[in-house]
Amino acid sequence: MYPNGSVITLVLTLHSLELPETSIYPAFVFGLTTYLFILLCNVTIVVTICLNRNLHKPMYILLLNMPINDAMGATNLFSQLLYSIWSQDTSISYPACLLQGFIVHLYGGASYVILTAMAFDRYIAICSPLRYGAIMNTNNLVKIITGMWLFNFTVIIVLFSLFLNYKICQTHMTDLICYNPSIMKLMCDDTRVNNIYGLFTLVLYHILGFSVVAFTYIHILITCITNKQSDAKNKALQTCGTHLVVFLFLEFNTLFPLVAHRSESVPAYIRRMFSITVFVFPPLVNPLVYGFKTKEIRQKILTCFRSKINSTSIYPAFLFGLTTYLFILLCNVTIVVTICLNRNLHKPMYILLLNMPINDTMGATNLFLSCCIDTSISYPACMLQGFIVHLYGSASYVILTAMAFDRYIAICSPLRYGAIMNTNNLVKIITGMWLFNFTTHMTDLICYNPSIMKLMCEDTRVNNIYGLFTLVLYHVLAFSVVVFTYIHILITCITNKQSDAKNKALQTCGTHLVIFLFLEFNTLFPLVAHRSESVPAYIRRMFSITFFVFPPLVNPLVYGFKTKEIRQKILTCFRSKIHSV
């Protein structure tokens, strides 16, 4: 189908998820959240094992390979899948498809050899405990790990090198991702050699893995039955039982889609579903089964992340918090980088918008870092935290106020926009709003002002009065500017004969107004609640935290990804990166 050399530029089309337009954003957010959670769980296990010398034992060093492999497999799937969902572009270059397929099989093969090596380790530990140190010494451990990755890499690289001799007749893939059976269906040459070798590797991994696991677990079972120590017996059976369940699940989850490709009776959507679950469930389940459930690893994580949260809730709470923070960071950093790197976005509207993700990142980081450390805090650190809390909160107001003024000039005085919002004035607005914000709160530098005042034993009326003054100043000033500008924008939109411009302006300003009113309520309520004993403390605390979570989550979606120019630049960037692979 292709002339010599054109295979490098050949573009294939992956099977589409065929999502309706209304489901694109929910699907993308769900997929990204799942991926971040998988990444978080596996990175936590890797970091915990690497940073704790007490865990530098054969059992944990072998285990370390699992989260690394799972993170690789999940990244290979989600990077392509999330891009396809967001851009609705399922094209992929042939070299990128081969690379993706290679990583798919490398991940699958590594899952087997790692589980096999772990089974052997448990066999020596339980059946020959006195010889464990001699057999699983450092040299042998290095040989086992190097050998299993080298064996895996060699087998898979041979499989995919066979494609270099084939010609392609089709460009439409039957699956959501590239892997050996789906790539073979594109070929117009005789693929029997590839098919035979593929079946050989399939049998090799499964028979070899199953044989070693069966052999070791039979001997472990015999040793456990004859062992008189009930505690050791229960622990061994529990560990090995979990390992066996994970292995059998992997067996079914990898064998089914591979065999299904060779049978016309299996519906395509079922095959596609199973081909994706192998990259989702093991990376999700493995860190929980082998990591957080393992006493030594769990204790190390608990030591690092102590909290007043009880021991049964600490992991879900920490994982949920960190996943949320990573998602906030990802969204806001994406907006900042997109605006900074694209000269077409160096306009007053986007330059003002640039301040919002920077401020949101600062506020979210301030909250989530304080939640991940010990609950004790020094007084100077508390003052610094309080200063950043107030700096973030008030900056949210002045940025939204400046953005409202920018839209007012753009809609109500479009001919004078270039003269009013020139570079000099723009620099003055941005410098002025941050300088005003910084100066106001340097005077009020006393943690979260109302909460720290409750620690004082002296008369705090001066601080209270100044705190109320700044509260009124920001809210009244911001509210007045927003009301003034939006009344004039509304009048201009009503009198404007161009319906498209009217709808666009009303939609933009309507969203801006909803964000502003939400911010008003979310900041006023906890501040006023601190001065009233009738409001329960847990409600006040809940609202004081949502202030640092919802705006940083919602703002980049509303002002960033929903804005056509920014969304196009992000999509263009992703397309160019993927097609360049």
Side-chain angles (χ1 to χ4, degrees):
M1 179 180 174
Y2 55 89
N4 291 335
S6 66
V7 67
I8 301 299
T9 57
L10 184 66
V11 176
L12 307 176
T13 305
L14 293 167
H15 189 83
S16 173
L17 281 172
E18 299 174 352
L19 294 169
E21 193 173 346
T22 54
S23 302
I24 291 172
Y25 295 112
F28 178 80
V29 172
F30 176 76
L32 186 59
T33 305
T34 304
Y35 171 61
L36 288 173
F37 184 74
I38 288 171
L39 205 62
L40 168 66
C41 292
N42 286 283
V43 169
T44 301
I45 302 301
V46 171
V47 171
T48 303
I49 294 174
C50 289
L51 295 183
N52 291 278
R53 290 195 174 185
N54 294 339
L55 299 178
H56 293 179
K57 300 172 183 176
M59 174 183 172
Y60 302 114
I61 299 298
L62 286 172
L63 172 62
L64 183 65
N65 291 270
M66 185 175 283
I68 293 171
N69 186 53
D70 286 342
M72 176 186 73
T75 301
N76 188 45
L77 168 72
F78 282 99
S79 59
Q80 175 65 43
L81 201 61
L82 290 173
Y83 170 76
S84 299
I85 292 171
W86 181 261
S87 64
Q88 293 296 287
D89 180 10
T90 57
S91 61
I92 184 173
S93 68
Y94 183 63
C97 184
L98 285 180
L99 176 62
Q100 186 184 67
F102 172 74
I103 297 173
V104 164
H105 287 265
L106 192 71
Y107 158 76
S111 299
Y112 277 95
V113 292
I114 292 166
L115 285 172
T116 304
M118 289 172 67
F120 175 75
D121 173 77
R122 291 301 82 204
Y123 161 69
I124 301 298
I126 296 169
C127 299
S128 304
L130 299 178
R131 297 175 60 211
Y132 183 79
I135 297 173
M136 297 301 292
N137 57 40
T138 305
N139 288 336
N140 288 341
L141 187 63
V142 170
K143 288 177 183 177
I144 290 170
I145 295 171
T146 307
M148 68 185 190
W149 280 106
L150 192 61
F151 164 77
N152 191 38
F153 185 86
T154 305
V155 171
I156 306 303
I157 200 72
V158 171
L159 177 66
F160 277 82
S161 65
L162 294 173
F163 284 114
L164 300 177
N165 300 318
Y166 297 142
K167 288 185 179 181
I168 301 169
C169 291
Q170 301 180 51
T171 58
H172 183 76
M173 303 286 290
T174 58
D175 284 292
L176 301 170
I177 56 171
C178 299
Y179 63 115
N180 185 49
S182 59
I183 297 173
M184 276 202 298
K185 290 185 177 180
L186 304 178
M187 305 302 169
C188 48
D189 289 339
D190 187 354
T191 59
R192 276 182 294 182
V193 175
N194 186 292
N195 207 0
I196 292 168
Y197 185 80
L199 285 170
F200 165 73
T201 59
L202 186 66
V203 171
L204 178 67
Y205 278 104
H206 287 268
I207 296 295
L208 185 65
F210 190 80
S211 299
V212 173
V213 169
F215 172 82
T216 55
Y217 278 53
I218 288 170
H219 283 76
I220 286 170
L221 186 63
I222 294 168
T223 304
C224 288
I225 292 171
T226 57
N227 196 327
K228 296 179 180 179
Q229 295 178 339
S230 58
D231 291 340
K233 184 193 298 184
N234 292 334
K235 186 178 179 181
L237 286 173
Q238 187 178 6
T239 304
C240 297
T242 306
H243 190 94
L244 194 59
V245 169
V246 171
F247 182 83
L248 292 174
F249 175 78
L250 181 68
E251 275 282 307
F252 173 76
N253 216 225
T254 51
L255 273 173
F256 184 86
L258 289 170
V259 173
H261 256 288
R262 293 169 169 84
S263 173
E264 297 297 327
S265 61
V266 179
Y269 72 92
I270 294 179
R271 188 187 68 244
R272 293 185 193 114
M273 181 185 71
F274 274 95
S275 67
I276 283 182
T277 56
V278 75
F279 298 93
V280 178
F281 289 113
L284 269 173
V285 173
N286 287 342
L288 301 175
V289 170
Y290 293 107
F292 303 118
K293 195 179 176 184
T294 305
K295 185 180 178 182
E296 291 81 356
I297 294 176
R298 187 170 68 247
Q299 284 177 337
K300 293 297 179 184
I301 297 173
L302 276 170
T303 303
C304 292
F305 305 108
R306 276 201 195 101
S307 172
K308 286 187 177 179
I309 302 171
N310 61 60
S311 58
T312 57
S313 304
I314 188 169
Y315 300 114
F318 172 73
L319 293 174
F320 176 76
L322 191 53
T323 305
T324 305
Y325 173 62
L326 288 173
F327 184 71
I328 289 171
L329 205 62
L330 173 67
C331 292
N332 285 284
V333 169
T334 302
I335 302 300
V336 171
V337 171
T338 303
I339 294 174
C340 289
L341 295 183
N342 291 278
R343 289 195 174 185
N344 295 339
L345 299 178
H346 293 180
K347 300 171 184 177
M349 173 184 172
Y350 301 114
I351 298 299
L352 286 172
L353 172 61
L354 183 65
N355 292 269
M356 185 175 284
I358 293 171
N359 184 54
D360 286 341
T361 301
M362 176 185 70
T365 301
N366 189 46
L367 168 71
F368 284 99
L369 278 180
S370 65
C371 291
C372 291
I373 59 175
D374 201 333
T375 51
S376 61
I377 186 172
S378 67
Y379 184 66
C382 186
M383 291 177 69
L384 176 61
Q385 187 187 69
F387 174 69
I388 296 174
V389 165
H390 285 268
L391 192 70
Y392 157 74
S394 52
S396 301
Y397 278 94
V398 293
I399 292 167
L400 284 172
T401 304
M403 288 172 68
F405 175 74
D406 173 76
R407 290 302 84 202
Y408 162 69
I409 301 298
I411 296 170
C412 299
S413 303
L415 299 177
R416 297 175 60 210
Y417 183 78
I420 297 173
M421 296 300 292
N422 57 43
T423 305
N424 288 336
N425 288 342
L426 186 63
V427 171
K428 287 177 183 177
I429 290 171
I430 294 171
T431 306
M433 70 185 189
W434 280 106
L435 192 61
F436 166 74
N437 194 28
F438 189 85
T439 307
T440 305
H441 293 297
M442 275 302 290
T443 311
D444 191 34
L445 183 57
I446 287 210
C447 257
Y448 177 44
N449 186 280
S451 58
I452 197 102
M453 279 199 298
K454 292 182 178 181
L455 305 177
M456 305 300 174
C457 50
E458 296 180 0
D459 189 352
T460 58
R461 276 181 295 181
V462 174
N463 187 285
N464 207 2
I465 291 168
Y466 186 80
L468 285 171
F469 166 73
T470 57
L471 184 66
V472 171
L473 176 67
Y474 277 100
H475 287 268
V476 170
L477 183 65
F479 190 77
S480 301
V481 172
V482 169
V483 168
F484 172 80
T485 57
Y486 278 52
I487 287 173
H488 283 77
I489 287 171
L490 186 62
I491 293 169
T492 304
C493 287
I494 292 170
T495 56
N496 196 325
K497 295 179 181 180
Q498 295 178 338
S499 58
D500 290 341
K502 186 192 298 184
N503 292 334
K504 187 178 179 181
L506 286 172
Q507 187 179 6
T508 304
C509 298
T511 307
H512 189 96
L513 194 60
V514 169
I515 295 291
F516 181 82
L517 293 174
F518 175 78
L519 183 68
E520 275 285 301
F521 173 76
N522 215 225
T523 50
L524 277 172
F525 183 86
L527 289 168
V528 173
H530 256 291
R531 292 167 170 85
S532 173
E533 297 297 328
S534 61
V535 179
Y538 73 90
I539 293 179
R540 187 184 68 244
R541 294 188 193 109
M542 182 186 71
F543 274 95
S544 65
I545 285 180
T546 56
F547 176 62
F548 298 92
V549 178
F550 287 113
L553 268 175
V554 174
N555 289 340
L557 300 176
V558 171
Y559 293 107
F561 301 118
K562 195 180 176 185
T563 305
K564 185 180 178 182
E565 291 83 354
I566 293 176
R567 186 171 67 248
Q568 285 177 337
K569 293 296 180 184
I570 294 170
L571 289 175
T572 303
C573 178
F574 281 137
R575 282 195 194 103
S576 63
K577 293 291 183 186
I578 288 178
H579 287 308
S580 65
V581 175

